[in-house]
Amino acid sequence: MTVLKGKPVADAICGKITADIAELEKKDIVPGLAIIRVGEKPDDIYYQNSAEKRMESVGIRVAGIVLKEEISESALITKIHELNFDDEIHGILLLMPLPRHIDGEKVKREIAPEKDIDGLTPENMCRLYSGDKNGFAPCTPSAVMEMLEYNGIDVAGKNVVIVGRSLVVGKPLAMLMLAKNATVTVCHSKTKDLKSVCRQADILVAAVGRAKMINADYVSENTVVIDVGINQDENGNMCGDVDYDSVSAKASAVTPVPGGIGSITTSVLAKHTVISAQNMKL
Ligand code: NAP
């Protein structure tokens, strides 16, 4: 059984970015990422801190924008518009979900599509779903593709089963897989006989949000298992949607949690910010 770790993938992405940033610096361009956090949710603070660390390590300038939980929808939109027009900002990451009094669907549409490096806007979704490679796909499904590519796992012609159909993970990942000629099945809470559907997979992606749900009953000996989940187990420790001990005894390869897909996501964010800076210099 192969353990597919995130760190070498993240390092490889960052190595490539560092060279691209050096090229941009010759033209006096420093890629800039704005991270907008509304409120003090511990998960958001953790993600912001790790994203900032990653950006700084490769030479991307970060503007951390922390807004009060009570901020009005219109004030948040005004802030986004300011960033849209700021020439030093090439990417805007809006941490979701937003507080309940703010319409997240409405607000995310205000991000300029060319700075929407996490693929939240309808323009970028439309590009992804229509096969136009000029947009940005969300970072987490992109991280899954980076993991497979780095490890030489070609998805063309393979049976890929994705458990989860959210707009941030399952659906965009299905589009990325289709673009690489995989045969894709997307499962959800109403899927019948989920275990047997999953056992047909050459590549099984768990994006369910249920701690350790996917166990050895869901995999066959040849399955490559990608765990996107970030949950807490009964002891408060981070764990995935995959029961790692059970699955690793049977499947051919598994990504760990922590140390798997989650550790690639911020590198993809950095990569997208650099691409945006490269696009804007044209
Ligand atoms: P989500 O919006 O809650 O979607 C969960 C999906 O799983 C839904 O499509 C749901 O089906 C399906 N589902 C739930 N229970 C199921 C069951 N018993 N059987 C089959 N399908 C079931 O979650 P998400 O935002 O996509 O996130 C999924 C996981 O990825 C979470 O653990 C989240 O923390 C993690 N995540 C990780 C990263 C990262 O960087 N690694 C980023 C984002 C999210 P229905 O549609 O029928 O309800």
Side-chain angles (χ1 to χ4, degrees):
M1 199 280 303
T2 308
V3 182
L4 299 171
K5 293 196 174 151
K7 187 173 181 309
V9 188
D11 289 346
I13 296 169
C14 288
K16 165 86 175 52
I17 292 172
T18 308
D20 291 340
I21 291 175
E23 281 303 307
L24 284 167
E25 272 171 3
K26 287 183 197 159
K27 300 177 176 92
D28 286 333
I29 298 167
V30 179
L33 172 69
I35 304 178
I36 307 176
R37 166 161 66 81
V38 180
E40 300 294 328
K41 281 204 297 292
D43 286 358
D44 285 352
I45 294 170
Y46 177 82
Y47 189 67
Q48 180 178 3
N49 288 342
S50 59
E52 286 186 3
K53 245 188 248 163
R54 174 70 74 191
M55 300 309 139
E56 278 155 17
S57 74
V58 292
I60 293 175
R61 188 170 25 217
V62 179
I65 292 153
V66 178
L67 302 169
K68 287 202 164 36
E69 170 112 25
E70 316 74 68
I71 189 170
S72 68
E73 190 176 283
S74 62
L76 176 56
I77 289 174
T78 302
K79 188 74 214 169
I80 291 172
H81 288 173
E82 274 172 30
L83 296 166
N84 285 346
F85 286 104
D86 185 335
D87 289 341
E88 295 192 345
I89 296 297
H90 304 95
I92 300 172
L93 176 68
L94 175 62
L95 298 181
M96 304 282 271
L98 294 165
R100 293 168 72 93
H101 67 280
I102 297 175
D103 180 349
E105 286 304 308
K106 179 178 167 193
V107 169
K108 72 184 189 186
R109 288 165 190 257
E110 299 298 325
I111 302 172
E114 65 276 15
K115 295 190 179 186
D116 170 30
I117 38 64
D118 201 19
L120 294 175
T121 57
E123 289 84 353
N124 275 318
M125 276 189 208
C126 186
R127 285 191 180 124
L128 175 64
Y129 285 65
S130 62
D132 175 350
K133 295 193 171 64
N134 291 314
F136 292 112
C139 291
T140 300
S142 302
V144 172
M145 301 309 288
E146 295 276 1
M147 171 67 93
L148 294 169
E149 197 179 315
Y150 177 86
N151 286 286
I153 300 168
D154 185 7
V155 304
K158 302 262 177 68
N159 280 331
V160 174
V161 175
I162 302 168
V163 189
R165 58 174 163 181
S166 75
L167 266 185
V168 280
V169 189
K171 283 181 186 163
L173 180 60
M175 293 303 122
L176 292 170
M177 291 285 187
L178 277 177
K180 296 279 183 191
N181 299 316
T183 303
V184 185
T185 305
V186 182
C187 302
H188 46 78
S189 63
K190 308 291 185 295
T191 298
K192 294 223 177 350
D193 201 2
L194 182 64
K195 287 182 185 174
S196 113
V197 177
C198 290
R199 279 197 301 265
Q200 305 304 312
D202 298 307
I203 299 167
L204 174 64
V205 184
V208 199
R210 291 182 184 263
K212 301 185 187 180
M213 180 184 127
I214 304 294
N215 60 29
D217 296 345
Y218 291 74
V219 304
S220 67
E221 281 72 15
N222 298 321
T223 318
V224 172
V225 183
I226 306 288
D227 190 356
V228 173
I230 300 177
N231 312 291
Q232 281 192 351
D233 69 11
E234 55 286 0
N235 302 316
N237 297 319
M238 189 193 280
C239 73
D241 292 342
V242 171
D243 182 342
Y244 184 86
D245 292 339
S246 163
V247 165
S248 60
K250 189 173 179 189
S252 76
V254 189
T255 64
V257 176
I261 296 301
S263 49
I264 306 173
T265 312
T266 52
S267 303
V268 174
L269 197 60
K271 176 177 169 177
H272 286 181
T273 304
V274 171
I275 292 171
S276 175
Q278 288 169 327
N279 291 342
M280 280 179 211
K281 78 174 170 36
L282 298 174

